Amino acid sequence: MDYVSALLPPAVMAVFFIGLIRVIVKTQGGANKAKEDAAVDAALARVEATRQAPANPDA
């Protein structure tokens, strides 16, 4: 029975990992893609705006 207790944790981790990958693949694209793209575009616009803002407004 030692082999069962030795193989159980890796098998459980493999099952959860496969489930995680399936969820990630299923949520790519579709209706969520437009929302994700918009969120990334907004974040990049904020970063670009702060990068172009003057470092010292008093100068």
Side-chain angles (χ1 to χ4, degrees):
M1 290 303 286
D2 289 337
Y3 63 89
V4 173
S5 62
L7 291 177
L8 188 61
V12 170
M13 286 190 299
V15 168
F16 282 118
F17 183 72
I18 290 169
L20 175 68
I21 296 301
R22 290 186 70 207
V23 167
I24 290 172
V25 169
K26 281 187 171 190
T27 58
Q28 297 300 310
N32 292 331
K33 184 166 177 45
K35 288 192 289 185
E36 292 170 359
D37 289 347
V40 170
D41 290 342
L44 289 175
R46 283 194 303 268
V47 169
E48 190 65 28
T50 58
R51 186 177 298 164
Q52 291 178 358
N56 188 357
D58 294 332

